[in-house]
Amino acid sequence: MTTWFNNLMGKGEWALKWPYEVKYGSEKEVSADVVILGGGPAGCMAAIAAAKAGVNVILVDKAHAKRSGGGSGVDHWLTTPTPASSITPEACVDWESDSYGGYINALSRYIAAREGWDTLLELEEMGAKIRDTDDQFKGAPFRDEITKLLFAYDYQNRVTLRIWGTTFKSAMYNKCKSLGVEILNRMMVTSLLTENGLMGGRVMGATAFNSRTGEFVILKGKAVINCMAFHEANWLFSTELTGLPYFHPNVVCDGPAIAWKAGAEFTMMEKSAPSHPAGFHFPSYGSGNPKNTWYPASMVDATGKEIPWVDGMGNPIAEVSERTCPAEDQDYFGDRSMNPRYKLAHLVDDLEERVRKGEFMLPLYADLTGMPEYERKAIWGLMVGEEGRTKVPVKETYEAAGFDPDKDLLQNYFLLGGEPFPGMWQHAVLPFVRGRGPFASPGGMVADWNLQSNVEGLFVAGNALFAGNYYHHAAVTGRYAGRKAAAFAKEAPPPSVFQDQIEQEKHRVYEPIKRSKGIDWKELRAGLCRIMQNYCGDIKNDELLSLGLIWFKDIQENVFPDACAANPHILMRMIESFHILDCNELIIQSSLARKASSRYLGFNRQDHTEVDPPQWHKFITIRQDETGIKTGERPIDFALPLADNYEQHNPDYRGFLKQR
C-alpha cells in the first residue's frame, strides 16, 4: 500500500485528521408529514408545494440543497405553452411521442406542459428571473414585447423559453427556508422504511447517514417523495487520470436502488446508448457548435468557408432567420427530434462525408461574429452565461483568457475526438461504454396520475420518474407531487416503522467501517462497470446477461464482505457502489424481459434480432416482492386520454391553461 494511499485512508504517519466529529452508531430520529428525498429542482418544488398545503416537510439532500441538482443554472425551459404561444399541452406531448416511438412518459410530460407556465410564475414570485425586464433584447425576433419573454429554437410557435436559470435554485431554496421546511444536507439516503419491513409494504420513511459525521438518521413520514434522479455510472467510471466521463458525473443510482428494494415498479430500464468514455471530453458546451445552448450558431471551416444549413425537411436555407422558423410542412420545432415534422434546422446532413472528401477543412469553428447582434448576445451572453455547466468554466474562463465573441471564432472538435455527445455528429468511441440512454428519457419508476408509485405512500418526481426530462419537467412534477403527497399525508395514519428493518439497515451500512483493510470503493466501482461493459453492452443475449447476474451475485457474496471505508465520506462512496450493483441487476433483469430489439431503446438482442416488432411495441415493467421478480407490461398509450385523466385527478386546480 503506497504512502499516498495510506495518507488518503488516514493510516500514514502524516495523515490528515478527519475534520468532523465522527458519530458512527449514534441515531437521530426526525419525523414529518412528508419526507422528500433529493434537493434538486424536483425536491425543492415538492417541498414548497407540500409546505404551502399546510403539512410539515423534511427535505433531505446528499449535497447542499441551495446548489445541488442543477443549482449552478439552466438556460432553457422547454415545451411549455405560455400566453405568447398557441401550442397546446397535447401538442407538447405529441412531438416527443411521435419522435421516439411512444417511448416517453406521456403522463408526466402532460403534467409538465399543463402546469409549466404556472410553475414559472410561482418561481418568478420567489425571485427567479424569467423575463427580459431590463429590455436587453428589445426588438429581437425571439422576444414577445407584451410579456417580455424570450424564446429559443422556434421563434414562430414560441414553446421553449430562454431563462435566467442561475437565479432559480437559490430562489427555491430560500422559499423552502421561509416556509419552515426542515432541510437536512450532507445526508446519504440508504433505504426506504416499509410497513412491517416488507417489500411492497406502505412506505413510512427512510434511513440515511451524515456523510461528514457518520451519524445514522431515521426519517419517519406519512408520505415519501423520491426526487433522487435517474441511474448513471453503470457503465462508466471516472478516475483522477481521465477526468469526468459523462454529462451528469455526480449522479449515481441511490434513488432507483432504494425504490427497487422497496418493491417499486420500473420500466424502460433496458434502455441505453453509447457514450463517450473519460478522456474524450471537453467542457460541456465549451466547444463551438450549433446545438442546444449554441443554437442557431453559424459554423465555418478552417479556411473561413461557411457550412450550409438545411431546414428540418432537408431543404437548403440561406438566411439566419430561416433557422428559427419551421418549414412549410412542419408543425413546430421539438428539441432533439429526428422526426421531420418537428426536426430543427441544422447543418447539412452529409457534413461528415464532405469533410472527408476535403470540401470543408478541419477544424471547424462556431462563428458568432457574422450573426445578428441579438443572436450573438443571446448565445454567448445569456445561454452560455445561464447554463449550469458553462457560466464559470466556459464563459468566465474563456473571457478571462481573451475570448471575444464579437471578434473571435470558437473551435469545434467534430471528427477530432472531443465532441461530448454521441449523435451530435460523432459516433461514440466504444459502443460497449454506455449511458442510461439518449440525452433524455431514460428508464425509471412508474407512477399514476397522483405521481404515486405502486407502493403506497411512495411518490415520485423529476428524473426519478421513467423518461425524466430536463429541468422544467423536474420542477413541475416536483410541484405536482408535493401537493399530491400532502393531500395523502393529511388522510394517512401515523407511520409505524419496523425496528428490525432499521437495525438490519444500520448493520449493512456500517459494515465497511469495521475493517482496516480490504477493497476500496474505486476498485469495486471500476469492476462493476467492467461487468456491465462485458455482459450488458451494445449486443446482448440471454447467456451474456445471465453471466452478468452470476458475476454480481459473486461480488455480493465474496467482495462486499471485504469492502472497507476509513471515514464517512468514503463510506458514502461505498454505499453508492452497493446501490450501483442493485441498479445493475435491475437493468439486466429488464433486459432479459424484453425479447426483441428496439432502435428507440438502443437495445440490440443477438438472440432476438427483429427490431421493434408490433407485438413488443409496449412498456415492459419490472418490480420485485418477497417471492421474487415480477415482470409485466403496459400499452404505449396507457396514459390516454391525457386531458380527461388530468382533469379527473385535478378537478380543483385552476391554472393558466384552465383559464385559456
Side-chain angles (χ1 to χ4, degrees):
M1 192 175 287
T2 65
T3 302
W4 171 85
F5 189 73
N6 278 328
N7 182 55
L8 176 69
M9 299 298 287
K11 301 168 186 173
E13 294 180 2
W14 45 277
L16 294 174
K17 182 180 179 181
W18 184 248
Y20 307 100
E21 180 184 2
V22 176
K23 301 178 182 179
Y24 290 140
S26 65
E27 285 187 10
K28 177 182 179 180
E29 185 176 299
V30 294
S31 61
D33 296 314
V34 177
V35 174
I36 299 169
L37 309 178
C44 282
M45 291 304 296
I48 291 166
K52 283 185 171 182
V55 299
N56 297 321
V57 181
I58 291 175
L59 176 65
V60 184
D61 194 74
K62 187 159 64 174
H64 194 293
K66 188 171 184 176
R67 291 297 180 193
S68 63
S72 56
V74 60
D75 56 355
H76 292 104
W77 187 275
L78 296 171
T79 321
T80 298
T82 70
S85 172
S86 61
I87 297 295
T88 66
E90 290 79 6
C92 290
V93 176
D94 285 346
W95 82 258
E96 290 194 274
S97 183
D98 291 348
S99 299
Y100 301 114
Y103 288 106
I104 67 162
N105 192 338
L107 184 156
S108 66
R109 292 291 202 280
Y110 186 81
I111 291 171
R114 185 73 182 251
E115 299 189 14
W117 176 243
D118 304 327
T119 304
L120 270 178
L121 291 180
E122 189 170 341
L123 282 163
E124 187 177 36
E125 291 177 359
M126 298 177 201
K129 185 174 180 179
I130 70 170
R131 308 172 198 263
D132 181 28
T133 51
D134 301 325
D135 293 334
Q136 182 181 3
F137 294 96
K138 189 173 183 178
F142 51 75
R143 185 182 194 259
D144 179 66
E145 298 300 335
I146 297 175
T147 62
K148 297 191 176 184
L149 298 171
L150 305 183
F151 296 92
Y153 304 137
D154 186 339
Y155 297 173
Q156 178 177 309
N157 292 290
R158 299 177 165 187
V159 75
T160 295
L161 294 97
R162 286 168 161 148
I163 53 175
W164 286 258
T166 57
T167 66
F168 276 43
K169 195 65 193 304
S170 58
M172 295 179 193
Y173 178 80
N174 292 336
K175 188 65 175 180
C176 285
K177 298 288 286 185
S178 70
L179 289 170
V181 173
E182 183 176 358
I183 301 175
L184 303 179
N185 293 311
R186 314 296 178 189
M187 291 291 170
M188 169 72 188
V189 178
T190 69
S191 74
L192 292 169
L193 297 173
T194 58
E195 189 171 18
N196 297 320
L198 295 176
M199 190 177 293
R202 177 190 158 200
V203 169
M204 298 184 174
T207 61
F209 70 89
N210 188 299
S211 64
R212 289 179 170 176
T213 68
E215 182 180 37
F216 195 80
V217 180
I218 301 163
L219 304 149
K220 293 183 178 180
K222 296 179 181 179
V224 174
I225 310 177
N226 184 350
C227 300
M228 294 172 64
F230 38 59
H231 58 291
E232 192 66 275
N234 303 92
W235 290 267
L236 297 169
F237 178 63
S238 170
T239 72
E240 291 85 350
L241 295 177
T242 56
L244 298 178
Y246 31 71
F247 194 65
H248 297 90
N250 297 318
V251 176
V252 282
C253 299
D254 299 334
I258 65 170
W260 169 243
K261 290 191 289 186
E265 186 175 66
F266 287 76
T267 193
M268 284 191 0
M269 293 300 293
E270 67 272 26
K271 182 178 182 179
S272 68
S275 183
H276 274 67
F280 290 90
H281 276 223
F282 287 81
S284 298
Y285 310 115
S287 66
N289 64 73
K291 297 282 186 176
N292 198 274
T293 291
W294 281 79
Y295 191 85
S298 297
M299 300 290 295
V300 298
D301 76 352
T303 70
K305 184 178 180 179
E306 186 166 356
I307 312 296
W309 281 65
V310 294
D311 64 24
M313 306 298 289
N315 305 308
I317 54 178
E319 302 297 327
V320 172
S321 60
E322 295 180 277
R323 303 172 192 173
T324 54
C325 292
E328 183 177 346
D329 295 328
Q330 290 188 287
D331 293 0
Y332 61 94
F333 284 169
D335 177 43
R336 308 183 317 275
S337 179
M338 299 304 291
N339 186 322
R341 288 174 55 197
Y342 308 102
K343 190 174 182 179
L344 274 68
H346 52 280
L347 299 182
V348 288
D349 294 307
D350 60 346
L351 177 57
E352 181 173 341
E353 180 182 350
R354 293 164 74 170
V355 167
R356 294 186 183 279
K357 289 180 178 179
E359 182 179 348
F360 299 105
M361 301 301 294
L362 296 177
L364 306 184
Y365 296 86
D367 180 10
L368 302 182
T369 65
M371 298 191 74
E373 183 182 11
Y374 54 77
E375 292 288 4
R376 184 166 62 251
K377 288 170 57 180
I379 291 172
W380 185 258
L382 180 58
M383 297 287 89
V384 176
E386 297 296 327
E387 167 59 23
R389 301 157 191 85
T390 56
K391 182 174 184 177
V392 174
V394 178
K395 187 176 187 296
E396 293 183 6
T397 301
Y398 288 20
E399 287 178 352
F403 177 75
D404 183 348
D406 293 339
K407 303 175 182 178
D408 301 322
L409 311 183
L410 187 60
Q411 186 175 325
N412 177 269
Y413 297 91
F414 171 53
L415 292 182
L416 299 180
E419 263 305 322
F421 302 121
M424 181 166 282
W425 290 317
Q426 179 179 312
H427 301 296
V429 178
L430 300 170
F432 58 84
V433 178
R434 307 181 73 77
R436 56 191 159 74
F439 196 66
S441 300
M445 290 175 63
V446 178
D448 62 18
W449 277 95
N450 290 322
L451 292 188
Q452 184 172 203
S453 73
N454 61 299
V455 181
E456 186 183 11
L458 178 59
F459 293 77
V460 57
N463 284 339
L465 285 159
F466 89 88
N469 183 46
Y470 288 117
Y471 200 106
H472 78 292
H473 178 267
V476 181
T477 56
R479 177 177 178 267
Y480 185 99
R483 73 171 187 263
K484 295 296 184 180
F488 176 91
K490 288 178 179 179
E491 303 296 329
S496 177
V497 299
F498 190 58
Q499 191 61 37
D500 285 353
Q501 186 181 25
I502 294 173
E503 293 303 321
Q504 290 172 14
E505 181 62 12
K506 198 173 179 181
H507 174 79
R508 182 184 79 93
V509 166
Y510 285 137
E511 271 297 297
I513 67 167
K514 299 175 182 178
R515 306 180 188 93
S516 60
K517 62 180 180 179
I519 190 169
D520 181 52
W521 71 273
K522 294 183 180 181
E523 183 180 358
L524 174 58
R525 194 170 297 185
L528 294 174
C529 289
R530 191 58 177 161
I531 291 171
M532 287 296 284
Q533 293 171 14
N534 288 347
Y535 300 103
C536 191
D538 180 28
I539 300 175
K540 304 173 180 68
N541 62 45
D542 276 353
E543 184 171 357
L544 278 173
L545 295 167
S546 298
L547 284 170
L549 290 176
I550 291 172
W551 271 106
F552 289 136
K553 182 179 180 181
D554 181 76
I555 287 175
Q556 282 182 313
E557 294 177 352
N558 300 309
V559 178
F560 278 10
D562 290 330
C564 65
N567 58 54
H569 178 81
I570 294 177
L571 179 61
M572 176 185 73
R573 296 300 183 208
M574 187 61 73
I575 301 301
E576 287 177 347
S577 301
F578 293 176
H579 288 168
I580 288 172
L581 185 142
D582 291 328
C583 193
N584 289 347
E585 291 184 331
L586 170 55
I587 291 169
I588 289 183
Q589 292 287 1
S590 300
S591 298
L592 285 167
R594 181 172 286 275
K595 305 297 185 182
S597 298
S598 173
R599 70 182 181 91
Y600 296 110
L601 301 175
F603 189 71
N604 301 310
R605 287 290 300 250
Q606 191 179 33
D607 46 356
H608 298 283
T609 57
E610 191 174 2
V611 178
D612 293 308
Q615 66 271 27
W616 282 95
H617 187 223
K618 56 190 175 184
F619 294 104
I620 302 300
T621 61
I622 185 168
R623 61 179 179 86
Q624 57 181 339
D625 61 20
E626 299 293 338
T627 64
I629 305 292
K630 308 294 181 184
T631 60
E633 59 185 59
R634 289 193 177 199
I636 286 291
D637 60 355
F638 76 92
L640 299 181
L642 296 174
D644 290 348
N645 282 326
Y646 175 88
E647 292 291 347
Q648 181 182 343
H649 289 83
N650 299 277
D652 299 325
Y653 184 81
R654 295 290 180 267
F656 156 67
L657 288 169
K658 191 83 169 183
Q659 300 163 16
R660 190 171 83 171

